Amino acid sequence: MDNIRGIALVVLSMAAFTIEDMFIKSLTAAVPTGQVLFFLGAGGAVVFALMARAKGHGLVRPFLTMPTLRIRTLGEAVASVFFVTSLSLVPLATVAAVFQALPLAATLAAALFMGERVGWRRWAAICVGFSGVVLIIRPGMAGFNAASLLVLMAVAGITLRDLISRRLPRDLPSSVVSFHGFMALVVVGPLLVWGRGQTLVALDLQQSLFMAAAIGFGVLGYYAIVIATRTADASVITPFRYTRLLFSILIGIVVFHEIPDTLTYAGAALIVGSGLYTFMRERRLARQSAAIDAR
């Protein structure tokens, strides 16, 4: 039952994140990206600050005393700036498809920077996955959109965040970590407004509702994925993360009238297929290692 509930929570989380993306993309058509980032950060920070304080967790001291938390927060800031900016410039399905290369990027970074052993099969899967990214972005071809490269920068930021997260103390509450991740947006949002010479706008009623919805669905998605990962087996729920791509394609077509072309579908299939293979290969190696240790 825990695994069934975990699957449902992951699918709910992916749907919530996609709806959040929809509202963000709609907002950035008229509201500066830096301003959107600031409000998203402020809203999320308030929610997780209340959660942390309700359980008696301190918020400031961990950030001052843990270099790993500061580096993770930096990765969160970089990822959010590039991700939200890409949403404002690139079709939703394209952003979601390239974003699915994250597990491959994490495996690549772990091999290059953390000494993790990666065999030829997973290297081959990484190459196949990133060839799918090339198919979607298609540099040098007629359909090339330079803004698509922003998604890769977001993937790099999240890869840094996730790798550093492995080094965080196990007793550090998730609410505290999340609070600092959202606070990073409160800082970088105004910097982006200033750096790009953007002009702040007063939100009308519809934009205010969209902003509140984006914050609400973002927090819902995060909370659901945290519960899922803590109560269900990772081997069961991880493949269902790719439902985000399906939701993004559907919303892109219905809401933004963005029709992915054949190359986008082909690239997405390569990314998802290689990602699933890499995950299954890592799970098999983990089982073999556990069996050897048990002897």
Side-chain angles (χ1 to χ4, degrees), residues 36-148:
V36 172
L37 281 169
F38 174 82
F39 281 117
L40 289 173
V46 168
V47 171
F48 286 108
L50 292 174
M51 292 173 63
R53 297 305 298 168
K55 295 184 178 181
H57 302 311
L59 295 173
V60 178
R61 182 174 180 140
F63 187 80
L64 297 177
T65 59
M66 297 179 186
T68 49
L69 180 57
R70 293 196 293 271
I71 296 173
R72 184 197 183 280
T73 302
L74 174 63
E76 188 85 65
V78 170
S80 297
V81 167
F82 285 111
F83 185 76
V84 172
T85 304
S86 67
L87 278 176
S88 67
L89 301 172
V90 181
L92 183 59
T94 300
V95 174
V98 176
F99 204 68
Q100 300 310 310
L102 179 59
L104 301 174
T107 300
L108 175 64
L112 295 178
F113 303 115
M114 301 184 71
E116 185 171 310
R117 187 176 178 181
V118 175
W120 69 268
R121 293 180 181 85
R122 284 192 288 170
W123 278 117
I126 290 171
C127 291
V128 170
F130 280 104
S131 68
V133 173
V134 173
L135 272 181
I136 295 171
I137 296 178
R138 59 203 91 144
M141 298 176 64
F144 174 61
N145 181 355
S148 300

Side-chain angles (χ1 to χ4, degrees), residues 9-277:
L9 286 170
V10 168
V11 174
L12 172 64
S13 175
M14 296 302 103
F17 283 139
T18 305
I19 295 172
E20 178 195 20
D21 294 344
M22 176 189 72
F23 284 117
I24 291 174
K25 186 172 182 64
S26 300
L27 282 166
T28 53
V31 181
T33 51
Q35 187 175 350
V36 172
L37 281 169
F38 174 82
F39 281 117
L40 289 173
V46 168
V47 171
F48 286 108
L50 292 174
M51 292 173 63
R53 297 305 298 168
K55 295 184 178 181
H57 302 311
L59 295 173
V60 178
R61 182 174 180 140
F63 187 80
L64 297 177
T65 59
M66 297 179 186
T68 49
L69 180 57
R70 293 196 293 271
I71 296 173
R72 184 197 183 280
T73 302
L74 174 63
E76 188 85 65
V78 170
S80 297
V81 167
F82 285 111
F83 185 76
V84 172
T85 304
S86 67
L87 278 176
S88 67
L89 301 172
V90 181
L92 183 59
T94 300
V95 174
V98 176
F99 204 68
Q100 300 310 310
L102 179 59
L104 301 174
T107 300
L108 175 64
L112 295 178
F113 303 115
M114 301 184 71
E116 185 171 310
R117 187 176 178 181
V118 175
W120 69 268
R121 293 180 181 85
R122 284 192 288 170
W123 278 117
I126 290 171
C127 291
V128 170
F130 280 104
S131 68
V133 173
V134 173
L135 272 181
I136 295 171
I137 296 178
R138 59 203 91 144
M141 298 176 64
F144 174 61
N145 181 355
S148 300
L149 298 175
L150 297 174
V151 191
L152 291 178
M153 298 301 295
V155 168
I158 291 185
T159 300
L160 171 64
R161 181 199 70 183
D162 290 350
L163 290 180
I164 293 298
S165 294
R166 301 180 186 180
R167 304 294 180 89
L168 293 174
R170 291 184 177 273
D171 59 349
L172 182 63
S174 297
S175 57
V176 175
V177 176
S178 302
F179 166 77
H180 289 290
F182 279 101
M183 278 302 297
L185 309 189
V186 175
V187 175
V188 300
L191 291 177
L192 187 61
V193 170
W194 173 76
R196 298 184 63 183
Q198 298 174 334
T199 302
L200 299 178
V201 301
L203 301 184
D204 58 27
L205 178 59
Q206 183 184 52
Q207 291 168 338
S208 299
L209 292 174
F210 278 16
M211 187 69 72
I215 294 170
F217 279 105
V219 171
L220 172 63
Y222 183 88
Y223 193 66
I225 198 68
V226 167
I227 296 176
T229 53
R230 288 188 170 184
T231 59
D233 296 332
S235 60
V236 174
I237 65 175
T238 296
F240 290 89
R241 288 176 178 265
Y242 290 107
T243 55
R244 184 172 184 172
L245 177 57
L246 300 178
F247 292 135
S248 296
I249 292 174
L250 179 62
I251 287 181
I253 293 173
V254 174
V255 178
F256 300 107
H257 308 292
E258 299 168 346
I259 310 297
D261 58 18
T262 303
L263 286 179
T264 298
Y265 282 122
L270 288 176
I271 294 170
V272 172
S274 58
L276 287 172
Y277 174 81

